[in-house]
C-alpha cells in the first residue's frame, strides 16, 4: 500500500507458510519501520544526513514471568 506521503506499507499473509510471521512493515524515503507482533518488538532504521544506516530504536517487551 502506498500513501500520498511516499510511505509504503507491506502486508503479507499466508495460511500455508511453515513460519508464523506477524509483521507490519513501513518503507519511507528515509526510514524503515518493522513491527513484529509475534516477537513483540519494534525496529526503526533511519538514514541520516551522512546516508549511514543505523538502528535508532529497538524495543522488545519483557516476557511475562511464569510461576
Amino acid at each position: 500500500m502506498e500513501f500520498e506521503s511516499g510511505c509504503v506499507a507491506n502486508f503479507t499473509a499466508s495460511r500455508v507458510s511453515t513460519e508464523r510471521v506477524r509483521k507490519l512493515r513501513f518503507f519511507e524515503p528515509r526510514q524503515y519501520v518493522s513491527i513484529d507482533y509475534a516477537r513483540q518488538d519494534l525496529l526503526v532504521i533511519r538514514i541520516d544526513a551522512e546516508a549511514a544506516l543505523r538502528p535508532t530504536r529497538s524495543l522488545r517487551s519483557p516476557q511475562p514471568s511464569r510461576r
Side-chain angles (χ1 to χ4, degrees):
M1 171 182 283
E2 187 167 347
F3 297 90
E4 289 181 19
S5 66
C7 177
V8 176
N10 178 296
F11 302 91
T12 304
S14 174
R15 62 181 182 82
V16 295
S17 175
T18 58
E19 283 185 66
R20 278 186 71 133
V21 178
R22 305 289 184 265
K23 285 186 181 181
L24 181 59
R25 301 183 305 167
F26 296 92
F27 301 87
E28 297 182 82
R30 303 189 66 77
Q31 181 171 269
Y32 166 75
V33 179
S34 176
I35 304 168
D36 189 329
Y37 292 99
R39 293 180 58 194
Q40 296 186 351
D41 68 10
L42 166 71
L43 174 66
V44 177
I45 297 176
R46 291 192 179 123
I47 300 174
D48 63 16
E50 293 84 34
L53 287 175
R54 64 178 162 198
T56 56
R57 182 176 180 201
S58 181
L59 173 67
R60 182 167 212 158
S61 300
Q63 298 297 319
S65 61
R66 295 182 181 178
R67 294 180 182 205

